[in-house]
Amino acid sequence: MINNRIRIAIQKSGRLSEESFRLLQSCGIYIKPRKEQLFCHSDNFPLDLLLVRDDDIPSMVSEGTCDFGIVGTNVLQEKLLQRGNDAKNNNEIIQYLGFASCRLSIAVPKSFAYQDITSLKKCRIATSYPHLLLDFIQKNNLDMEITTLTGSVEIAPRLGIADGICDLVSTGGTLEANNLREVETVFKSQAVLIKSPKQLSEEKQKIAKLFQNRVEGSELANGSKYIMLHAPKSALSLIVTLLPGAERPTVLELQGDTTKVAIHALCRESIFWETMEKLKMAGASSILVLPVEKMMN
Ligand code: ATP
Ligand code: ZN
């Protein structure tokens, strides 16, 4: 029997899991999560889910075990450098997803007399990302020693096995708790949707395209707002310039008032209170900002 379902790998449990499920949900793909099940399927879209460790996602996708995957660019790039950038078998980044944002940074104990990057000369740096760190060292002509650890990197300086660390940071809370100071950013990361380089059957290609369009639509909608307001005709051009990321707003006549118009616009950026205050100062009134749920171009 021909299996015309696409397969996506997502992290089983961890920092990527919840948002990955939420993304699929926002694409109208419903999945009944079954406890302790590594394989789930959607009843309303031809998509199956493989729940795995995030480290396994890049190779599962590049080898074609899964057609898509959701993973951090930190893991993606680390595996790519490890395998030695083989362009033919590389996964394609379909979409940056904007969640799980973090940076891979070098941090040193607060007692370390750090001045600039040259202070790290001959230092031993503990990390779970040796290839990303090596790449950074080579690109910056530095001289450091890498100690690879798979976990609990932050305690390495206290154990005396490293002078500093190179680890993922988002808020900096873990560094603070371990008396460490962030000194250099090695790599900036966020979650991405990746696609396998393996050729899909024609039928699967159609499903994959549909899925990609939905993800794109969901991402576009995510950062967008719909704004409606009334504006004096005399201030129309000024007000339009104040709308963040708006393309071709709709301008409508107002019944019973020839001095004003209604403006409707899709804004591709967030609209903050400051923008609304500026719009009001420019003469706008009845300002309404609405969330955008879905979008298709
Ligand atoms: P697994 O068991 O799947 O291997 P893990 O322990 O490697 O899990 P998590 O800690 O859940 O992974 O992190 C998954 C991803 O979340 C990271 O690879 C990174 O892309 C992202 N992330 C965002 N912020 C942070 C952070 N502060 N620390 C670690 N990872 C972060
Ligand atoms: Zn992992």
Side-chain angles (χ1 to χ4, degrees), residues 58-59 62-63 76-86 89-91 131:
S59 60
S62 63
E63 284 158 15
L76 186 66
Q77 189 63 17
E78 175 69 17
K79 301 284 173 195
L80 196 67
L81 293 170
Q82 187 180 354
R83 281 191 308 152
N85 226 330
D86 162 17
N89 289 315
N90 285 350
N91 294 310
H131 298 90

Side-chain angles (χ1 to χ4, degrees), residues 11 14-16 53-55 72 74-75 100-102 129 168-170:
Q11 192 190 22
R15 288 178 151 102
L16 297 163
R53 286 197 58 196
D54 68 343
D55 313 72
N74 54 319
V75 171
S101 297
C102 58
Y129 296 89
L168 294 174
V169 186
S170 46

Side-chain angles (χ1 to χ4, degrees), residues 101-107 167-175 182:
S101 297
C102 58
R103 52 200 184 273
L104 183 68
S105 286
I106 298 180
D167 205 6
L168 294 174
V169 186
S170 46
T171 59
T174 308
L175 293 184
E182 188 177 351

Side-chain angles (χ1 to χ4, degrees), residues 150-202:
T150 50
S152 308
V153 169
E154 64 279 3
I155 58 165
R158 245 186 302 156
L159 297 179
I161 52 174
D163 305 301
I165 66 164
C166 175
D167 205 6
L168 294 174
V169 186
S170 46
T171 59
T174 308
L175 293 184
E176 190 58 38
N178 287 284
N179 232 357
L180 296 166
R181 181 159 67 102
E182 188 177 351
V183 290
E184 298 293 337
T185 305
V186 169
F187 188 81
K188 285 195 179 133
S189 177
Q190 63 170 290
V192 283
L193 174 71
I194 54 170
K195 189 180 184 187
S196 177
K198 300 280 181 238
Q199 182 71 27
L200 291 176
S201 69
E202 215 169 294

Side-chain angles (χ1 to χ4, degrees), residues 138-293:
Q138 287 172 344
K139 281 183 180 152
N140 290 283
N141 272 323
L142 302 168
D143 177 17
M144 285 180 225
E145 197 184 310
I146 301 172
T147 301
T148 305
L149 296 177
T150 50
S152 308
V153 169
E154 64 279 3
I155 58 165
R158 245 186 302 156
L159 297 179
I161 52 174
D163 305 301
I165 66 164
C166 175
D167 205 6
L168 294 174
V169 186
S170 46
T171 59
T174 308
L175 293 184
E176 190 58 38
N178 287 284
N179 232 357
L180 296 166
R181 181 159 67 102
E182 188 177 351
V183 290
E184 298 293 337
T185 305
V186 169
F187 188 81
K188 285 195 179 133
S189 177
Q190 63 170 290
V192 283
L193 174 71
I194 54 170
K195 189 180 184 187
S196 177
K198 300 280 181 238
Q199 182 71 27
L200 291 176
S201 69
E202 215 169 294
E203 196 52 40
K204 278 194 188 181
Q205 268 179 47
K206 284 187 201 149
I207 301 163
K209 190 75 195 126
L210 205 62
F211 173 60
Q212 286 173 224
N213 287 346
R214 287 199 191 182
V215 173
E216 189 193 3
S218 160
E219 283 310 298
L220 279 173
N222 235 343
S224 301
K225 293 279 181 275
Y226 198 74
I227 187 164
M228 303 199 280
L229 54 86
H230 291 175
K233 274 185 181 164
S234 57
L236 184 61
S237 50
L238 170 64
I239 284 180
V240 168
T241 61
L242 291 174
L243 297 172
E247 296 156 16
R248 294 193 296 267
T250 309
V251 180
L252 302 160
E253 292 290 335
L254 280 179
Q255 201 172 14
D257 188 345
T258 53
T259 64
K260 285 185 180 170
V261 285
I263 302 177
H264 292 188
L266 177 72
C267 294
R268 297 286 174 108
E269 293 167 35
S270 297
I271 297 172
F272 297 104
W273 283 106
E274 288 78 1
T275 308
M276 292 179 68
E277 284 154 6
K278 278 189 199 149
L279 287 166
K280 197 169 160 53
M281 268 174 14
S285 57
S286 306
I287 309 170
L288 216 63
V289 177
L290 308 170
V292 177
E293 200 184 86

